[in-house]
Amino acid sequence: MDSAAVVERFGLGAGVRAWLEEAERLPDPVRSLEVPADPAGVLDLFALSPRDRAEVEGLWPDGGWPPELWHLVECMYRRLCADVDLPLGGWRDWPTLVGAEDARVRAASLWAFAAMVPAHLERQAASGVDPAVTAATLADVGVQVARSRRMFGRLGVETASWVAAQFRDRLFWVGGLQFEPALLVDEGGVEWYSPEEARSLGAGFAPGERCLRLHIPSGGLAPESVDAALAGARGFAREQLGFDPVVATCSSWLLDPVWGEVLGEDSKIVRFQRRFELVGRGVPGESDVFRFVFGMPEVDVAAAPRGTRLERAVVERLEAGGGFRVRTGWLRLA
C-alpha cells in the first residue's frame, strides 16, 4: 500500500499525498499501531459530545476497513511518534481532510490519537505532569471535534495539527487557560522585540528564551478563572515542565485594542486584554474572528448571525469599513 492509492481512493489532494509520502519515510515507531478494540476508555478521555461520540463509535475500526484507510491512519501515527522529539518551537502542519466524503477519512486522526494515548499517559506521568492536567488537556479533543462540526456541519478534525501538539507535550489545559511551552520569537503572526529592545526589560525577555504561550479555551475568560491560572502558571512550569519562565505571551484576536471601542470596558474580552503589554502591529484577524465568534471557516459578513452583542459588534464594524487584527501581548509571571 502507498499514499498514491490512498489519495486516489478517497479523492484527496496533492498536498495530502506529499504529507503522507513524507510520513511513510519516517522510522518505524517503537510501538506499532494498535487502536483500542474497546473505544470507551479513550473516548471518555477525549470528552466528545454525545452526538460526536455516537458517530465515532459507529465508525470504530473493524475487520471491514479497507487497507487504504489503515494506511492513512498508520501514516498519521508514524508522524505522531516521530514528532515527540520535535524541538521546542517547532510546528507540524497536518492535512485538512474536512472535504472528504468518507467520515472515517475526515476523522482519521482520531484513531491515530487513540493509539498514541497509552504512551502519552506514560510519558507525562514519568515527567511528573499532574494526571488531572493530562486528562483536562485530552478533553480538548472533544472541543476541536465539536468546532469542526460547527463550522462544516459534519464529523471531522479540522484542527488535527493543534491536537497533535498535545501528544508532543506542547499543550496543557490548566484551569481557565491553556499553556504552551514555547520560545520568544518574531515570526508569522507572533511578534517579539529585537534583542536591543528586549534587553531593557531584563532577564528572561531575550529572543529565543523559553516562555509560556497562553491560549484561551472557549468560555475561558472569567476574570477569577484567569487570575487563578496565571497565579499558578510559573509554578506549574517549574514543577511539571522543568523550566522557569519569566514571561507569558498571547497572540490572539482578543488582544486587538479595538474591542475597547466596540464592547466597552466592562467586557470580559477587554478586561482580559488589559492584562497585556502589546508588541508590534499585528496581522489581519478577520479570519480568526469569524472562526471563533461565528464558527464560520470563511469571512462572510452577509451570512454572519447577529444574535449576540459580540456578533453585532463584529458585523457593524466590518460593515462600517473597519477590521480586526491578531495582536501579540505579554505579561510578567509572578
Side-chain angles (χ1 to χ4, degrees):
M1 181 56 56
D2 63 21
S3 296
V6 175
V7 168
E8 181 178 0
R9 170 151 189 169
F10 298 117
L12 308 178
V16 177
R17 177 174 175 174
W19 192 94
L20 294 174
E21 288 176 341
E22 182 178 351
E24 286 176 346
R25 296 190 291 269
L26 294 171
D28 291 337
V30 174
R31 295 186 182 187
S32 59
L33 173 68
E34 186 175 342
V35 177
D38 182 357
V42 71
L43 293 184
D44 287 344
L45 288 170
F46 288 172
L48 300 175
S49 71
R51 181 182 182 183
D52 289 333
R53 177 166 181 149
E55 187 168 351
V56 170
E57 287 177 330
L59 298 171
W60 205 257
D62 57 24
W65 269 29
E68 293 89 349
L69 189 54
W70 276 117
H71 187 76
L72 175 61
V73 176
E74 171 71 29
C75 286
M76 291 179 167
Y77 179 70
R78 293 170 75 89
R79 182 81 270 172
L80 277 176
C81 293
D83 284 352
V84 166
D85 297 322
L86 195 68
L88 189 67
W91 178 255
R92 180 76 62 194
D93 285 324
W94 277 51
T96 299
L97 303 176
V98 293
E101 287 306 311
D102 192 320
R104 299 170 301 179
V105 173
R106 297 196 303 273
S109 59
L110 286 180
W111 288 286
F113 299 145
M116 192 69 173
V117 163
H120 179 66
L121 295 177
E122 291 173 10
R123 189 175 64 255
Q124 293 220 331
S127 299
V129 177
D130 185 339
V133 170
T134 302
T137 305
L138 285 172
D140 191 48
V141 176
V143 174
Q144 300 307 315
V145 174
R147 181 168 290 150
S148 286
R149 186 179 290 279
R150 183 187 180 202
M151 287 197 295
F152 301 100
R154 56 187 187 175
L155 181 70
V157 194
E158 190 241 0
T159 49
S161 302
W162 169 264
V163 176
Q166 297 181 22
F167 290 92
R168 59 177 180 270
D169 301 333
R170 294 294 183 267
L171 186 67
F172 300 88
W173 196 331
V174 184
L177 294 172
Q178 289 168 319
F179 298 152
E180 176 192 355
L183 302 175
L184 295 173
V185 295
D186 187 357
E187 61 182 20
V190 177
E191 297 178 273
W192 195 242
Y193 298 107
S194 68
E196 295 74 20
E197 292 170 320
R199 194 174 298 120
S200 66
L201 297 172
F205 282 79
E209 292 271 10
R210 288 190 175 194
C211 68
L212 280 183
R213 191 170 293 165
L214 307 179
H215 301 280
I216 305 96
S218 299
L221 285 179
E224 60 276 8
S225 178
V226 175
D227 286 342
L230 290 175
R234 192 169 184 180
F236 171 79
R238 282 196 302 260
E239 297 162 14
Q240 301 188 41
L241 304 183
F243 73 103
D244 187 15
V246 173
V247 62
T249 68
C250 181
S251 296
S252 174
W253 60 276
L254 293 164
L255 298 191
D256 189 339
V258 74
W259 293 114
E261 302 172 20
V262 298
L263 294 178
E265 292 297 321
D266 64 328
S267 162
K268 288 182 181 178
I269 290 176
V270 175
R271 293 171 68 183
F272 177 76
Q273 68 176 226
R274 294 291 186 252
R275 301 170 184 269
F276 296 88
E277 183 77 23
L278 296 180
V279 183
R281 300 183 61 184
V283 297
E286 289 82 9
S287 178
D288 280 17
V289 170
F290 268 72
R291 285 179 63 86
F292 293 106
V293 174
F294 301 110
M296 296 171 62
E298 304 291 340
V299 176
D300 186 344
V301 177
R306 306 180 184 219
T308 69
R309 177 188 178 198
L310 180 57
E311 290 171 349
R312 290 190 296 273
V314 171
V315 172
E316 289 168 5
R317 178 168 177 80
L318 292 176
E319 287 181 336
F324 298 95
R325 299 187 72 76
V326 170
R327 299 294 304 271
T328 294
W330 63 269
L331 52 79
R332 292 181 185 269
L333 293 171

